[in-house]
Amino acid sequence: MKKKNVNLGFRVVYSLFLAFLIIGCSKDNGGTPDNGKGKDQEPNLPRIQLVGGNNVYGYVLDESDNPITNVVVTDGFSVVKTDDKGVYQLKKNDQAKFVYYSTPAEYEIAVEATNRKIPLFYRVLSTATSPQQHNFKLKKKASIDKNFVLFGLGDPQVTDNAQVGRFTFETLEDIKAELTGISQPVYGIALGDIVNDRDNLLNTMKTTMGSTSMPIFSTIGNHDKFAASPNPKTNDLFENVFGPTHYSFNIGDVHFVCLDNVVFSTNTTYALGISQAQIDWLTKDLSHVSKDKMLIVYYHMPVRGTNFSTRTQFLNLIKDFKEVHLLCGHTHYMENYIHNVSGKQIYEHVHGATCGAWWRSNINGDGTPNGYMIYQIEGTTIKDWVYKPTKLPRDFQFRLHWGNMDFGGSYGLFSYGQPSNTLIANIWNADPAWKAEVFMDGQKLGDMILRTTAPLNQDAWSKGYHIGVLNRAASSYSPATKHLYTYQVANPNSTLKVVVTDRFGKTYEQTHVNIVTDLSSAWNY
């Protein structure tokens, strides 16, 4: 079985599309970067008197030049609020690169342009120690978005223009189709590894992601950091394109926080970590947020099961909010992990990758389809979430196999190692609140059981394609799979049906005719 190549027609169409996207995207409103030169004193605004050695200052105003009070402003180290005149001022940290604000819930997320909806809430600071003024204008919303939809995009991780094309014409095309059916306000978050060690594609991806109707925030991943060998990789090139890598904003009753949790010790070695400087900043940022709000913290690498020096500080800072959710990517597989912090349940959503197994197929290494998450947020609760498989229906939430099937090709065969009457269900978005029931002739036979030990801790179907057909390295393409369920069917017949119910009561069905026995859908939609 051979993987399809991107054909010449696609390359021509994509090249024209890319050229269109890159043509002069003007920046407007909210927080236009000014290359560190500061803003001239705007007419009719009183000159600000600096105190205590402060050297970064300015106004935060609405569209009618009225002051906005209590807006949180930061240089990534100090955190201050605007006064009753809309004035902020602080002393710039020697390491600060930006001054930026945390968008209040009453105001719109400012974006670069109508055709590049990447949030723009910051200004570039001059390296000089002399005073510099940076003013911001915010546009008030007609009403606060108490109910809204959030898209979570894990790991686009593009290596070349062909993969940018797949992200554009598969992922974004699918997202845009979903957006047409949503009447509520919608926001997006890209969870790192925007590119795959290709700094020349950062701006291309920024333009591409900004082409939808929703603003998309971004966090930094390990493949978004760069430095000449042997120096440890840094955030510099990413920040030159996307701005700050730790920041916050508010939508409705939700406070969002972005963190950088990838730490390089050499040019090639990295580990999960949240710097003490970010913890100190987070402490100050959260001091301005009421504990009756929902807190969503997002970053690149999963925190679950990993020890790092500031782990206890981090979890203690976030645990007391009314509801807390953590969003991340990195793994190229799906996992829903529930932390217990001093009796508080904190849900960590580990997103499957939009690129799947690095664009080698249509699936992640655990068999999860390429795709993204959609969250329905109401007040201080996430009322619903669903994993949307790219170019496939929303109700495609699991895949069925028989336990004795061999999958693969010239480079090896792989099996679940189970009897021929064992039904395997790969339910990628499952968590402890989900259930899977088996029916035959209209009668329930029983419940499927989650299996997490070998050989049912890896997906034989995805290994069959990635390793057996494509000859990819097993170390990268056979991750732990934590959502395989089994049930032994004594005498299966054509009326066999599996009904899966998620934690919100929504049901999904597959039948005997949907049992997957070949690898065609691993590479062909």
Side-chain angles (χ1 to χ4, degrees):
M1 185 181 298
K2 295 182 179 178
K3 188 180 175 184
K4 289 187 175 179
N5 293 321
V6 179
N7 61 36
L8 180 61
F10 171 82
R11 291 180 184 275
V12 171
V13 171
Y14 172 68
S15 297
L16 292 172
F17 175 80
L18 186 60
F20 169 77
L21 283 178
I22 295 176
I23 290 172
C25 289
S26 62
K27 296 180 174 66
D28 56 26
N29 79 32
T32 308
D34 52 16
N35 301 315
K37 297 177 182 178
K39 288 275 287 183
D40 293 333
Q41 180 67 35
E42 295 194 21
N44 304 320
L45 291 178
R47 187 168 298 278
I48 296 170
Q49 299 298 315
L50 295 178
V51 297
N54 292 334
N55 56 3
V56 175
Y57 63 101
Y59 283 93
V60 180
L61 308 170
D62 66 16
E63 291 184 298
S64 301
D65 288 337
N66 297 312
I68 307 175
T69 63
N70 294 321
V71 177
V72 172
V73 181
T74 181
D75 65 348
F77 297 89
S78 298
V79 178
V80 300
K81 294 176 80 171
T82 56
D83 63 18
D84 58 1
K85 297 180 176 62
V87 172
Y88 73 90
Q89 55 177 286
L90 55 85
K91 185 175 182 179
K92 174 182 173 291
N93 186 283
D94 291 341
Q95 299 178 59
K97 300 178 182 179
F98 307 96
V99 60
Y100 48 104
Y101 61 89
S102 184
T103 306
E106 297 85 359
Y107 292 85
E108 292 184 4
I109 301 296
V111 295
E112 286 199 357
T114 55
N115 62 343
R116 190 151 104 155
K117 288 186 176 296
I118 299 299
L120 184 55
F121 50 89
Y122 63 92
R123 293 263 171 72
V124 178
L125 287 172
S126 166
T127 57
T129 57
S130 56
Q132 50 187 302
Q133 180 172 359
H134 300 274
N135 298 337
F136 298 98
K137 277 195 177 181
L138 282 62
K139 183 178 180 181
K140 192 153 190 177
K141 293 178 177 177
S143 60
I144 296 176
D145 299 334
K146 294 286 188 178
N147 300 334
F148 61 94
V149 177
L150 179 70
F151 281 59
L153 285 64
D155 299 64
Q157 203 161 335
V158 296
T159 303
D160 52 34
N161 283 337
Q163 291 180 3
V164 177
R166 284 197 65 183
F167 178 74
T168 302
F169 293 108
E170 293 176 24
T171 309
L172 282 189
E173 185 175 282
D174 195 86
I175 287 172
K176 289 175 181 178
E178 286 291 315
L179 289 172
T180 61
I182 299 174
S183 59
Q184 295 172 301
V186 190
Y187 303 88
I189 293 174
L191 294 162
D193 282 359
I194 309 302
V195 299
N196 190 18
D197 301 321
R198 297 294 189 272
D199 62 289
N200 61 304
L201 292 177
L202 283 169
N203 196 59
T204 299
M205 282 298 288
K206 182 178 183 180
T207 300
T208 303
M209 291 193 302
S211 67
T212 77
S213 60
M214 66 178 170
I216 297 181
F217 291 86
S218 296
T219 190
I220 190 169
N222 51 294
H223 290 285
D224 300 321
K225 300 194 176 195
F226 304 92
S229 184
N231 300 311
K233 293 179 179 177
T234 73
N235 298 7
D236 292 347
L237 293 179
F238 184 90
E239 289 176 329
N240 288 345
V241 177
F242 284 94
T245 50
H246 65 270
Y247 56 87
S248 69
F249 59 95
N250 302 277
I251 302 173
D253 290 319
V254 185
H255 186 68
F256 288 84
V257 173
C258 174
L259 296 174
D260 167 19
N261 74 345
V262 180
V263 181
F264 273 86
S265 55
T266 72
N267 190 260
T268 57
T269 305
Y270 66 90
L272 184 149
I274 301 174
S275 68
Q276 187 61 52
Q278 285 187 96
I279 293 293
D280 294 342
W281 169 84
L282 181 61
T283 302
K284 298 169 189 173
D285 178 82
L286 294 182
S287 71
H288 299 292
V289 183
S290 172
K291 292 295 193 295
D292 62 359
K293 300 296 183 183
M294 176 158 68
L295 179 64
I296 293 179
V297 185
Y298 61 98
Y299 40 78
H300 182 59
M301 296 176 68
V303 169
R304 53 93 177 97
T306 305
N307 192 27
F308 54 96
S309 62
T310 59
R311 178 187 178 90
T312 300
Q313 286 178 275
F314 170 64
L315 293 175
N316 284 338
L317 273 173
I318 66 177
K319 67 180 175 62
D320 292 329
F321 287 86
K322 185 169 183 181
E323 188 168 311
V324 182
H325 290 265
L326 308 176
L327 278 57
C328 59
H330 183 64
T331 61
H332 298 254
Y333 63 76
M334 284 286 293
E335 181 181 2
N336 292 312
Y337 186 91
I338 300 175
H339 298 261
N340 190 313
V341 184
S342 302
K344 171 84 168 187
Q345 284 196 338
I346 297 177
Y347 203 110
E348 186 169 25
H349 307 259
V350 184
H351 292 59
T354 56
C355 74
W358 301 275
W359 299 111
R360 299 286 179 179
S361 59
N362 297 329
I363 54 174
N364 286 257
D366 64 339
T368 300
N370 294 7
Y372 49 93
M373 290 291 293
I374 303 176
Y375 302 90
Q376 178 68 52
I377 297 175
E378 297 182 10
T380 55
T381 300
I382 301 183
K383 287 292 188 182
D384 180 60
W385 58 74
V386 64
Y387 185 80
K388 174 61 176 70
T390 303
K391 299 188 70 174
L392 295 167
R394 267 204 197 202
D395 62 3
F396 181 58
Q397 292 295 311
F398 65 101
R399 190 182 292 109
L400 296 176
H401 311 282
W402 287 120
N404 68 329
M405 291 294 300
D406 290 324
F407 301 102
S410 303
Y411 301 99
L413 296 174
F414 299 86
S415 170
Y416 294 102
Q418 304 300 303
S420 60
N421 66 330
T422 299
L423 192 62
I424 309 286
N426 188 344
I427 311 172
W428 35 84
N429 197 25
D431 66 27
W434 288 50
K435 65 178 179 179
E437 303 167 285
V438 181
F439 293 84
M440 191 180 295
D441 297 325
Q443 300 296 314
K444 179 177 175 177
L445 300 182
D447 294 325
M448 303 190 80
I449 299 173
L450 176 65
R451 307 291 188 182
T452 56
T453 58
L456 291 167
N457 61 345
Q458 293 183 340
D459 185 52
W461 185 75
S462 58
K463 289 174 67 176
Y465 184 66
H466 292 136
I467 303 170
V469 174
L470 298 183
N471 198 28
R472 307 307 300 175
S475 58
S476 297
Y477 286 79
S478 55
T481 303
K482 302 178 181 180
H483 36 72
L484 293 178
Y485 292 71
T486 70
Y487 187 85
Q488 288 196 329
V489 184
N491 296 295
N493 62 42
S494 60
T495 69
L496 180 68
K497 179 173 70 174
V498 174
V499 179
V500 171
T501 305
D502 71 11
R503 63 167 40 237
F504 305 106
K506 299 193 305 295
T507 59
Y508 310 96
E509 295 184 6
Q510 298 282 352
T511 66
H512 185 275
V513 297
N514 301 125
I515 293 176
V516 178
T517 57
D518 63 39
L519 292 167
S520 59
S521 56
W523 59 275
N524 185 32
Y525 284 115

